[in-house]
Amino acid sequence: MALTLSLLLMPPGWPQQVLAAALLAVIVWQGLTNHRRTDDLIFGQHKLMALTQELKGQQLVIESQNETLARQVDARTAELRESNIRLAAANLELLELDKLRSAVLSNVSHELRTPLTGILGSAQNLRDGLAGGLTQAQRDYVGMIEKDSGRLIRVVSELLDWGRLQAGQIELHRCTVAVQTMVDEVAMLLRPVADRKGVAITLQAGDPALRVHADEDKLKQIVINLVDNAVKFSPPESRVDVRIEADRKAVSVLVEDQGPGVPPEDRPHLFDRFYRGQAAEAAAGSGLGLAIAKNLARLHGGDITLRPGASRGSVFVLSLPLEQAA
């Protein structure tokens, strides 16, 4: 604008021509600049439209994929629902079968124990000569009957105990139990069995003041199982060590044998019901003893574990809360 006014006011001559040329150059430069801006704007609009179209296309693809995914999710959900229904039905059937099996097992075990007890008593009477004298061969056969009857009675008793544990029918009649006295009684009870096999049961004297609040009969049953197993899997001319350890909260009864130990592959299943490991194949039993003992220990608020890292044999640890901690 200033150049235009100066051009009009300036007298004719070469200055006016120079000013006119400058004005023309400015006009051309602004035109080119505006043209370039217009081109950039048009190019930007075209690019924006292309991006918009691309986004719309991608949005359609995403919507299609979402619909497909939703249909797949619905289908999988329906399949999962049907699978859950079938699984629930199978679980109910298994529960009913387990209840039926437990009932049959309990009834059969109960019916077996009475005649087995009678057979054992009759064999003991024959051995004691109540029916007259016996020859040596007859005594041997009576001894076999007595031994096998006792083993069957123990198996039947384990089956009955397991059935009661599964049914929640085990009641604990707690009282104050001196741990050392209880362990001494178990050792005295099992020492004749160990002596016949050539296994020595050794006791390390513990604190006689250690007491637990427990069912004495059930607690004794646990320790009998652990010591009896240790004797069963110990070789002749070896020993089973029983000792008591305690801290401020718990008391532990440790039963250590010098047998072959528990193979690593058997350890995860050691306390499973009816499980018999490699070392147990040659020994008599139902495979329920450790499972029952562990469950009884847990009912008392304790546990039974296999101590790892034993260089020889096995070390089973029964842990129970002390009376004041119970």
Side-chain angles (χ1 to χ4, degrees), residues 30 85 92 124 142 149 164 173 202 212 215 248 285 309 311:
Q30 288 183 346
I85 292 173
L92 288 174
Q124 291 172 341
V142 168
S149 298
R164 285 194 287 266
H173 302 285
T202 62
V212 293
D215 186 313
R248 294 182 179 180
S311 58

Side-chain angles (χ1 to χ4, degrees), residues 5-288:
L5 292 176
S6 300
L7 182 61
L8 294 176
L9 297 175
M10 187 173 292
W14 66 268
Q16 189 178 30
Q17 293 177 356
V18 173
L19 188 58
L23 179 61
L24 180 61
V26 171
I27 292 173
V28 171
W29 176 76
Q30 288 183 346
L32 292 175
T33 302
N34 292 335
H35 180 71
R36 196 163 43 245
R37 290 178 178 174
T38 302
D39 289 343
D40 291 341
L41 182 59
I42 294 172
F43 177 76
Q45 288 177 344
H46 284 296
K47 189 174 181 179
L48 181 60
M49 291 177 63
L51 290 174
T52 302
Q53 293 297 327
E54 185 179 355
L55 288 175
K56 287 182 178 179
Q58 292 179 354
Q59 184 178 2
L60 291 175
V61 171
I62 292 173
E63 289 177 354
S64 176
Q65 292 176 346
N66 286 338
E67 291 177 359
T68 302
L69 181 60
R71 287 194 297 269
Q72 292 177 350
V73 170
D74 291 340
R76 297 295 183 273
T77 303
E79 292 177 2
L80 182 60
R81 188 182 301 111
E82 292 177 1
S83 298
N84 286 337
I85 292 173
R86 290 195 296 269
L87 182 60
N91 285 337
L92 288 174
E93 185 176 357
L94 287 175
L95 286 173
E96 293 299 326
L97 289 174
D98 190 62
K99 289 180 181 179
L100 179 61
R101 182 185 63 181
S102 298
V104 172
L105 188 63
S106 178
N107 291 334
V108 171
S109 301
H110 182 73
E111 294 298 326
L112 283 174
R113 187 162 63 172
T114 300
L116 285 172
T117 303
I119 293 172
L120 179 61
S122 298
Q124 291 172 341
N125 290 337
L126 287 173
R127 180 198 61 193
D128 295 337
L130 297 183
L134 299 177
T135 65
Q136 185 59 43
Q138 290 172 335
R139 285 183 177 277
D140 292 340
Y141 280 113
V142 168
M144 293 171 59
I145 294 172
E146 186 177 357
K147 178 181 178 181
D148 290 339
S149 298
R151 181 169 63 86
L152 285 175
I153 289 174
R154 288 194 298 272
V155 171
V156 169
S157 297
E158 287 180 349
L159 292 174
L160 284 172
D161 288 341
W162 182 257
R164 285 194 287 266
L165 277 171
Q166 292 296 98
Q169 296 175 350
I170 296 292
E171 294 184 3
L172 299 181
H173 302 285
R174 294 179 183 267
C175 62
T176 298
V177 180
V179 179
Q180 185 65 55
T181 302
M182 182 269 300
V183 171
D184 291 342
E185 292 175 357
V186 171
M188 185 180 300
L189 177 66
L190 293 179
R191 192 163 276 126
V193 178
D195 290 341
R196 286 196 294 269
K197 193 176 179 181
V199 177
I201 298 179
T202 62
L203 299 177
Q204 293 185 12
D207 185 356
L210 290 175
R211 285 170 169 74
V212 293
H213 191 60
D215 186 313
E216 187 172 7
D217 291 337
K218 299 294 187 299
L219 185 57
K220 191 176 295 185
Q221 179 181 350
I222 297 171
V223 180
I224 287 174
N225 181 275
L226 295 179
V227 177
D228 184 59
N229 275 351
V231 172
K232 186 186 301 181
F233 294 109
S234 293
E237 305 303 323
S238 64
R239 72 174 189 270
V240 172
D241 296 325
V242 183
R243 61 184 184 274
I244 300 172
E245 297 177 356
D247 55 26
R248 294 182 179 180
K249 295 184 178 180
V251 58
S252 299
V253 179
L254 292 84
V255 180
E256 181 175 0
D257 62 65
Q258 297 176 341
V262 181
E265 60 272 18
D266 289 340
R267 293 178 184 179
H269 311 286
L270 191 60
F271 297 98
D272 292 351
R273 58 179 182 175
F274 303 114
Y275 182 79
R276 294 174 58 78
Q278 297 178 7
E281 294 298 329
S286 63
L288 283 173

